[in-house]
Amino acid sequence: MVQNQQEAFAVDMPQSGGSKCFDDDGRIKRTGSVWTASAHIITAVIGSGVLSLAWATAQLGWLAGPVVMLLFSIVTYFTSTLLAACYRSGDPISGKRNYTYMDAVRSNLGGVKVKLCGIVQYLNLFGVAIGYTIASAISMMAIRRSNCFHKSGGKDPCHMNSNPYMIAFGLVQIIFSQIPDFDQLWWLSILAAVMSFTYSSAGLALGIAQVVANGKVKGSLTGISIGAVTETQKIWRSFQALGDIAFAYSYSIILIEIQDTVKSPPSEEKTMKKATLVSVGVTTMFYMLCGCMGYAAFGDMSPGNLLTGFGFYNPYWLLDIANAAIVVHLVGAYQVYCQPLFAFIERQASTRFPDSDFIAKEIKIPVPGFKPFRLNFFRLIWRTVFVIITTLISMLLPFFNDVVGLLGALGFWPLTVYFPVEMYIEQKKIPRWSTQWVCLQVFSSACLVVSIAAAAGSIAGVVLDLKSYKPFQSNY
């Protein structure tokens, strides 16, 4: 994701050699490491999804909840290693680089699958931007509500409208969206990763404190009991819980873009596999702790969003710190997810209109103490319009749990499982009907069934929410 002139230049360069300043594709030397890649992944993975895990565990129970989380982590790690092997076509050290997920699909699969991948990937990224806008507004309101509860001693219900908070988040994103390249986001990713640990730790600490206060571990082996919900609701909620957990692990859609920031040697594939192991291991530990402790604290009554569902009221200052950390994290996570989409549209525009000054020309604005800021009018207008659209849709559909579940379900199978498996089979020339081929296809089919079930549960949740919903009048 560099200047448009460099983009065209880089594609035609031979994929070998390199120098002190430039990599083998003619681009400026990449500087990413295991740790920066891990920070990008953790920023993308430990997102707002972690907060719905107590609710998801409550639907599945002590038996299935932790097992499902562990299975999703194994699936994510496995498919991520398959995908990392597809960054270079042919030789893993000197083969042609694939800069984006779509490039990898184009190199390995080609044809109609490229268009299908692009539609699913970029719609998913668009959806994540909406999900994060909703989550940030809920956290901002939670800060105000916890202070309101504290002042009134819990007597005031403290209802408020979410729209001003979504607009505020949108305004911040308009500013950050002007960062030109993914490479320049490393500091925002590290800050966001620190914030994610902050609020996850706060949720964990509050869960432990609540368990101690209760004097017992709540919950049951099979999850929320029939009676508290109907049998049909139990089934739909269990399916939706699968979607929530899938969303909590989804980052494959930006894995290739993260890998493209990593330096070599060692090969980018080796670095990415290490980064994936570190980040998936860390996030799984956090997910298990947050999901299980939240369920242990509240049992069947576990809120859809652990820190904003107001299972906790005190200490209110800790809730405020945790929710502020969520907002800062989501500012970074929004950018990590949207930069690949921004770059794709800008590449398409520069290819179609190569002589347009509006699209290609950059004005350097001096910034004291920093490198000059590169202002591009096309980037300024299109990215601003994108943020405005995602903010408006968020105001129309402020259903955190259902949106999270639906996004997880829709993105999980095609992007996390199907394309990585198919590309790996093609890359390694695995013979059809061989044992390895059959095992990979069975694995992919099983994940498809899970995705369909999760999507059905989330759609049922959205339909239920829409019955009692008035547009732009979302009060919490």
Side-chain angles (χ1 to χ4, degrees), residues 300-350:
D300 287 358
M301 301 305 292
S302 295
N305 186 321
L306 191 58
L307 292 172
T308 63
F310 286 89
F312 303 115
Y313 293 95
N314 284 303
Y316 78 100
W317 55 269
L318 182 57
L319 280 171
D320 289 355
I321 291 168
N323 279 301
I326 292 171
V327 175
V328 173
H329 172 261
L330 290 175
V331 168
Y334 185 104
Q335 287 304 315
V336 168
Y337 271 104
C338 290
Q339 283 287 336
L341 176 56
F342 293 158
F344 170 73
I345 296 294
E346 284 152 25
R347 268 199 309 275
Q348 293 296 314
S350 64

Side-chain angles (χ1 to χ4, degrees), residues 156-418:
D156 187 341
C158 302
H159 290 305
M160 59 192 71
N161 192 292
S162 62
N163 293 342
Y165 300 93
M166 291 187 190
I167 291 166
F169 184 79
L171 289 171
V172 171
Q173 289 305 339
I174 286 171
I175 295 164
F176 278 109
S177 290
Q178 301 314 312
I179 296 172
D181 307 326
F182 211 152
D183 257 349
Q184 295 173 21
L185 281 174
W186 64 268
W187 60 272
L188 192 57
S189 274
I190 288 170
L191 173 65
V194 170
M195 291 296 114
S196 67
F197 282 119
T198 302
Y199 68 71
S200 300
S201 302
L204 177 59
L206 288 164
I208 293 168
Q210 189 70 39
V211 171
V212 172
N214 294 342
K216 63 174 182 176
V217 171
K218 290 188 176 183
S220 65
L221 288 176
T222 55
I224 193 164
S225 49
I226 306 294
V229 291
T230 65
E231 281 186 35
T232 310
Q233 281 178 319
K234 169 79 175 170
I235 293 165
W236 288 129
R237 281 171 163 231
S238 297
F239 287 166
Q240 191 186 330
L242 296 176
D244 282 8
I245 295 169
F247 179 78
Y249 277 108
S250 64
Y251 77 97
S252 297
I253 47 177
I254 55 167
L255 184 140
I256 297 283
E257 281 84 350
I258 293 171
Q259 196 166 345
D260 193 43
T261 67
V262 170
K263 64 186 175 188
S264 64
S267 72
E268 298 87 356
E269 184 185 344
K270 278 186 180 176
T271 303
M272 207 61 198
K273 282 180 178 176
K274 281 183 188 172
T276 299
L277 186 61
V278 168
S279 46
V280 172
V282 168
T283 52
T284 301
M285 182 184 72
F286 259 83
Y287 283 1
M288 288 284 194
L289 288 169
C290 291
C292 293
M293 290 313 302
Y295 182 41
F298 298 109
D300 287 358
M301 301 305 292
S302 295
N305 186 321
L306 191 58
L307 292 172
T308 63
F310 286 89
F312 303 115
Y313 293 95
N314 284 303
Y316 78 100
W317 55 269
L318 182 57
L319 280 171
D320 289 355
I321 291 168
N323 279 301
I326 292 171
V327 175
V328 173
H329 172 261
L330 290 175
V331 168
Y334 185 104
Q335 287 304 315
V336 168
Y337 271 104
C338 290
Q339 283 287 336
L341 176 56
F342 293 158
F344 170 73
I345 296 294
E346 284 152 25
R347 268 199 309 275
Q348 293 296 314
S350 64
T351 305
R352 289 195 177 194
F353 308 102
D355 301 322
S356 168
D357 277 353
F358 174 68
I359 288 166
K361 191 176 180 183
E362 291 191 331
I363 300 164
K364 289 189 177 180
I365 300 171
V367 180
F370 296 94
K371 289 179 183 177
F373 176 73
R374 307 198 312 264
L375 177 68
N376 172 279
F377 285 112
F378 174 67
R379 184 166 62 227
L380 175 70
I381 292 166
W382 123 251
R383 293 188 182 191
T384 301
V385 169
F386 173 87
V387 175
I388 290 168
I389 291 168
T390 57
T391 306
L392 283 171
I393 295 172
S394 303
M395 289 158 69
L396 276 167
L397 292 169
F399 318 129
F400 175 71
N401 258 56
D402 299 326
V403 169
V404 159
L406 192 56
L407 287 172
L410 294 177
F412 174 69
W413 181 71
L415 298 170
T416 303
V417 181
Y418 175 74

Side-chain angles (χ1 to χ4, degrees), residues 62-240:
W62 282 119
L63 210 57
V67 170
V68 168
M69 271 191 260
L70 189 60
L71 285 174
F72 269 103
S73 72
I74 293 166
V75 168
T76 302
Y77 173 70
F78 174 63
T79 56
S80 296
T81 59
L82 300 186
L83 190 55
C86 300
Y87 173 64
R88 285 185 184 266
S89 299
D91 190 277
I93 294 167
S94 59
K96 179 183 176 293
R97 293 174 188 261
N98 296 306
Y99 302 112
T100 66
Y101 194 110
M102 258 181 87
D103 286 347
V105 174
R106 186 179 290 109
S107 298
N108 291 285
L109 302 175
V112 72
K113 287 181 181 177
V114 180
K115 287 184 179 174
L116 185 64
C117 167
I119 292 165
V120 176
Q121 185 192 7
Y122 294 121
L123 274 177
N124 202 266
L125 291 172
F126 183 69
V128 168
I130 293 164
Y132 280 179
T133 305
I134 296 167
S136 68
I138 291 171
S139 284
M140 283 187 266
M141 286 191 297
I143 295 171
R144 201 166 151 208
R145 283 184 75 191
S146 76
N147 292 322
C148 171
F149 276 127
H150 182 70
K151 282 178 185 172
S152 68
K155 292 172 187 174
D156 187 341
C158 302
H159 290 305
M160 59 192 71
N161 192 292
S162 62
N163 293 342
Y165 300 93
M166 291 187 190
I167 291 166
F169 184 79
L171 289 171
V172 171
Q173 289 305 339
I174 286 171
I175 295 164
F176 278 109
S177 290
Q178 301 314 312
I179 296 172
D181 307 326
F182 211 152
D183 257 349
Q184 295 173 21
L185 281 174
W186 64 268
W187 60 272
L188 192 57
S189 274
I190 288 170
L191 173 65
V194 170
M195 291 296 114
S196 67
F197 282 119
T198 302
Y199 68 71
S200 300
S201 302
L204 177 59
L206 288 164
I208 293 168
Q210 189 70 39
V211 171
V212 172
N214 294 342
K216 63 174 182 176
V217 171
K218 290 188 176 183
S220 65
L221 288 176
T222 55
I224 193 164
S225 49
I226 306 294
V229 291
T230 65
E231 281 186 35
T232 310
Q233 281 178 319
K234 169 79 175 170
I235 293 165
W236 288 129
R237 281 171 163 231
S238 297
F239 287 166
Q240 191 186 330

